[in-house]
Amino acid sequence: MNAQKLSKRLEMVASFVPTGAVVADIGSDHAYLPCYLVHKGIASRAVAGEVVKGPYESAVRQVRTEGLTNQITVRMANGLAAVEEADHIDTVTIAGMGGPLIVSILEKHPQALKSVTRLILQPNIHAKAIREWAMRNRWALQDEVILEEDGKVYEVLVLQRGQMDLSQAEILLGPKLIATKPAVFVEKWSREVANWQRVQQAIEKAEKTADNEAKHAELAQLVDMVQEVIL
Ligand code: SAM
């Protein structure tokens, strides 16, 4: 992967950035995504935010090597603290982290989202945390995709301002993915159901405690909920 040729995962994130966008990429290790977006003429300007020194320095070097220092500002900062009001950011990308970490970044500096109209979030795990945050904070899913790369499954969630009310199944699995049921989605959740069922079998063989019974019942509910969608 480099700034010209992204991974399939980051290419999917890039595909949702509107032409002319002013982008903040948070957790921008190497700044590949902002460099790609500016090179392709998709983003007009970008901020690359990184909290760790090593990746921050890689991002600075990359932006210099690509000759993009006029269009891309690299800042060492925690999450959305990398965004300044004068940047007029309209699109935020946060990719390659767990859902709960992405949510904590969004929650820590809510004022940085004032001018933002689109969030493109790519959680490696627990996308559910993002859907819950979005519902609580008046963001609505505009799109949702799932993809597999190098044996790993990734989801990309695209949010715009708006209200959405999701059922428990939609929060866990994603309303757009439930509607389209791509093969990768069905495989992911079939594996998850098989894991839960293995845990249930282990619990059935273990001592009957209130905790075990509660866990068994919780898993039974999850299995039913997911099977209803994928079977
Ligand atoms: N976004 C790139 C991608 O998807 O390929 C890099 C993903 S890398 C696994 C996660 C990066 O996010 C790391 O460089 C890490 O230092 C950075 N990071 C984690 N928490 C952060 C935070 N609160 N603020 C800024 N960067 C953060």
Side-chain angles (χ1 to χ4, degrees), residues 113 116-119 131 133-141 159-164:
L113 294 179
V116 175
T117 53
R118 183 176 291 208
L119 298 172
R131 297 189 189 98
W133 172 86
M135 271 209 307
R136 285 197 307 272
N137 292 278
R138 291 173 177 270
W139 287 89
L141 279 161
L159 295 161
Q160 62 188 1
R161 303 250 176 208
Q163 190 69 43
M164 66 174 177

Side-chain angles (χ1 to χ4, degrees), residues 1 6-7 9-10 13 25-34 48-56 75-82 93-98 101-102 104-105 108-109 122 124 154:
M1 171 162 72
L6 293 180
S7 60
R9 172 181 64 81
L10 281 182
V13 171
D25 182 43
I26 305 301
S28 196
D29 179 19
H30 293 288
Y32 287 151
L33 179 60
E50 212 354 288
V51 75
V52 175
K53 193 161 179 261
Y56 161 76
R75 294 197 185 112
M76 190 162 152
N78 188 352
L80 289 163
T93 56
I94 312 179
M97 304 175 205
L101 177 55
I102 292 178
S104 75
I105 288 173
K108 203 160 183 170
H109 300 95
Q122 183 271 298
N124 290 344
Y154 303 104

